[in-house]
Amino acid sequence: MERTLVILKPGTLQRGLVGEVISRFEKKGLKLVAMKMKQLTPEILDEHYAHLKDKPFFPWLKAGMMAAPVILCCWEGFEAVRTVREMAGATNARKAVPGTIRGDYGMSSQENIVHTSDSPENAKIELDRFFSPGDYCEYPSPLQQYLYAPDEK
Ligand code: IDP
Ligand code: MG
């Protein structure tokens, strides 16, 4: 099954939205397989947001991501990367469609509630950046037959 990284950003923690956001992924039927709280550093953010290092907003993005701890989660499911990304909605939360996480809880391009991996390849790289093999928990999924048909993948 596919795995994807979700980071609940500092504003999500400060605004008391951690439970709301995690609850959406739970209710969707995704499986939480790893989770931790962490204060991010300039070094890890330079790596994580390397594709944005030349953007004028990069210093503010980094400061925003270090303003408080983040919650790192790994969610598992068939096509989890695409599904989670669509649940997050457009980067600019003001333009994100209502019903998406950013569309329902945000007003900003920067302070947009969650980070979600954008491809299966990047999900692997990002999960390795924040989690070690021992961070993942294996446990039974007794509702599997109610979440998926036997031939789904
Ligand atoms: P994504 O989070 O939707 O994948 P990316 O383009 O990868 O979007 O940008 C990473 C993060 O950088 C965004 O989630 C947001 O916090 C911030 N960001 C992106 N574009 C802007 C912008 O135009 N102004 C301010 N912050 C931005
Ligand atoms: Mg991105």
Side-chain angles (χ1 to χ4, degrees):
M1 255 195 217
E2 200 168 78
R3 289 178 170 183
T4 192
L5 174 72
V6 173
I7 306 177
L8 307 190
K9 296 188 176 189
T12 309
L13 176 67
Q14 294 287 25
R15 292 176 57 201
L17 294 173
V18 170
E20 298 257 354
V21 174
I22 287 176
S23 174
R24 290 204 178 206
F25 297 122
E26 286 182 319
K27 288 175 190 162
K28 178 70 173 165
L30 289 147
K31 181 175 180 178
L32 185 59
V33 293
M35 187 169 171
K36 64 180 162 189
M37 193 171 186
K38 194 176 170 72
Q39 175 62 50
L40 297 185
T41 61
E43 293 73 28
I44 207 160
L45 286 165
D46 284 341
E47 204 181 296
H48 185 66
Y49 284 134
H51 62 296
L52 299 171
K53 70 176 187 331
D54 297 324
K55 298 283 187 191
F57 58 80
F58 188 62
W60 298 331
L61 169 62
K62 273 176 70 176
M65 290 297 287
M66 294 188 293
V70 297
I71 315 290
L72 300 152
C73 328
C74 175
W75 294 94
E76 185 182 82
F78 295 128
E79 294 183 77
V81 174
R82 185 188 54 74
T83 304
V84 163
R85 194 142 173 99
E86 287 181 7
M87 289 175 73
T91 304
N92 182 346
R94 284 203 292 286
K95 294 186 178 158
V97 175
T100 63
I101 292 166
R102 287 164 169 172
D104 285 354
Y105 300 121
M107 279 297 287
S108 165
S109 311
Q110 178 183 295
E111 296 302 313
N112 59 4
I113 319 297
V114 281
H115 164 84
T116 62
S117 304
D118 63 7
S119 67
E121 299 70 38
N122 282 338
K124 286 192 181 72
I125 294 167
E126 293 180 349
L127 287 166
D128 286 347
R129 178 171 299 135
F130 293 104
F131 290 109
S132 322
D135 292 331
Y136 296 96
C137 294
E138 284 196 27
Y139 58 99
S141 300
L143 299 182
Q144 177 91 1
Q145 64 172 308
Y146 303 104
L147 290 169
Y148 296 107
D151 64 343
E152 266 176 313
K153 55 183 184 322

